[in-house]
Amino acid sequence: MDSLVDRIKEDMKAAMKGGDKTRLGVIRLILSAIKQVEVDERITLDNERVLQVLDKMLKQRRESIRQFADAGRDDLVAIEEAEVVVIQDFLPQPLTDAEIDELVGQAVADAGAQSVKDMGKVMALLKAKMQGRADMSIVSAKIKAALAE
């Protein structure tokens, strides 16, 4: 499998050649975030860790969109939404609601979860499977709903 960082760098070159300044800016932010983690931890990130960085960036953008929307700053919402689209290009295919429900049900059974107190066990089972493929806040809500039944 090709390195995700290599794919991101290739897309950066394509954005430079194509003159897509918005995409180029977001890709540079991504590479900067990856480099920051590599420098801080003195390691080279594998694809799984790169997905974690991208997932964190996506979560930050979604939170910013909520805050900007609440403040009536539609101009900033549009910028953040454009960044979300670029970041999602590098993440795996998102899970459908049905797939998320199925994985949550399976994880609840595997963990032997009985109540909301067992939510951590279920979340631990799902986090690796869903990294970059689902909004974990939605997954969390689905786990709570499944355990409340």
Side-chain angles (χ1 to χ4, degrees):
M1 184 166 108
D2 242 9
S3 167
L4 191 52
V5 174
D6 292 340
R7 188 175 138 223
I8 294 169
K9 287 179 180 177
E10 288 301 315
D11 274 20
M12 183 175 76
K13 290 176 190 172
M16 284 176 163
K17 289 178 183 174
D20 189 348
K21 291 183 180 182
T22 305
R23 186 170 179 80
L24 179 61
V26 176
I27 292 172
R28 284 183 170 152
L29 284 172
I30 292 169
L31 290 172
S32 175
I34 292 168
K35 193 63 165 173
Q36 183 68 48
V37 173
E38 288 180 338
V39 168
D40 288 349
E41 298 181 17
R42 292 183 170 87
I43 58 170
T44 301
L45 298 185
D46 60 359
N47 282 351
E48 187 177 323
R49 282 298 306 273
V50 171
L51 284 176
Q52 289 175 358
V53 170
L54 291 172
D55 209 25
K56 182 178 178 184
M57 291 180 76
L58 201 56
K59 186 176 181 181
Q60 290 168 338
R61 297 308 178 285
R62 286 182 178 138
E63 182 59 31
S64 295
I65 289 170
R66 272 192 222 90
Q67 291 176 358
F68 291 145
D70 289 346
R73 294 295 309 267
D74 295 336
D75 55 329
L76 297 176
V77 168
I79 292 169
E80 294 293 322
E81 286 174 342
E83 290 182 8
V84 164
V85 170
V86 175
I87 294 169
Q88 285 177 329
D89 285 348
F90 300 107
L91 292 170
Q93 188 68 32
L95 295 168
T96 64
D97 270 349
E99 290 170 325
I100 292 171
D101 290 339
E102 184 180 324
L103 286 170
V104 166
Q106 183 66 43
V108 168
D110 290 350
Q114 301 295 321
S115 68
V116 179
K117 292 179 185 175
D118 300 322
M119 192 167 162
K121 294 178 193 174
V122 178
M123 202 63 157
L125 291 173
L126 291 174
K127 190 142 176 93
K129 291 179 188 174
M130 294 186 169
Q131 189 73 47
R133 299 185 67 202
D135 183 346
M136 294 311 283
S137 62
I138 293 171
V139 173
S140 176
K142 288 181 180 277
I143 294 169
K144 282 180 187 170
L147 293 175
E149 293 174 0

